[in-house]
């Protein structure tokens, strides 16, 4: 259990989950992979929701504190980067 509970695993897991959900939403909505348009900001936000839910489960229910903190850090960093790029 201790091998999975570290910051790096949470960071990588957060990036992978975001990319998977982002790809699925882009395929369903028939959008190109990267669109710099404020009207498509919802795609990025919806893609980050599973990360927030999973990091909450890791922090509170599953006692994987370090992994949950890694996921939360990358998710919040992703939100800031998306807002900076899209709303610039």
């Amino acid at each position: 259990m201790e091998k999975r509970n570290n910051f790096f695993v949470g960071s990588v897991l957060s990036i992978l989950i975001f990319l998977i959900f982002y790809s699925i939403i882009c395929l369903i909505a028939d959008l190109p992979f990267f669109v710099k348009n404020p009207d498509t900001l919802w795609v990025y936000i919806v893609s980050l929701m599973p990360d927030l839910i999973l990091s909450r489960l890791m922090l509170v229910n599953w006692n994987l504190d370090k992994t949950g903190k890694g996921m939360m850090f990358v998710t919040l960093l992703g939100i800031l980067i998306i807002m900076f790029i899209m709303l610039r």
Side-chain angles (χ1 to χ4, degrees), residues 7 14-15 20 24 27 33 35 39 54 58 63-64 68 72 84 87:
F7 193 83
S14 179
I15 292 169
I20 290 169
I24 291 171
L27 286 174
F33 192 69
V35 179
D39 294 335
L54 191 59
M58 286 186 177
N63 295 326
L64 297 172
M72 188 65 70
F84 179 74
L87 302 177

Side-chain angles (χ1 to χ4, degrees), residues 11-31:
S11 302
V12 171
L13 187 62
S14 179
I15 292 169
L16 288 176
I17 290 172
F18 170 75
L19 289 175
I20 290 169
F21 275 92
Y22 181 73
S23 299
I24 291 171
I25 292 172
C26 282
L27 286 174
I28 291 172
D30 197 31
L31 294 171

Side-chain angles (χ1 to χ4, degrees), residues 30-86:
D30 197 31
L31 294 171
F33 192 69
F34 181 74
V35 179
K36 189 177 177 183
N37 184 359
D39 294 335
T40 60
L41 186 61
W42 66 272
V43 176
Y44 299 103
I45 301 301
V46 170
S47 299
L48 287 170
M49 294 303 251
D51 285 339
L52 290 173
I53 294 169
L54 191 59
S55 64
R56 189 257 181 218
L57 287 173
M58 286 186 177
L59 286 170
V60 176
N61 294 350
W62 298 339
N63 295 326
L64 297 172
D65 294 337
K66 294 176 187 174
T67 307
K69 288 177 185 177
M71 287 188 71
M72 188 65 70
F73 176 73
V74 171
T75 303
L76 293 177
L77 187 66
I79 290 172
L80 292 174
I81 289 170
I82 289 169
M83 286 176 35
F84 179 74
I85 290 172
M86 297 295 286

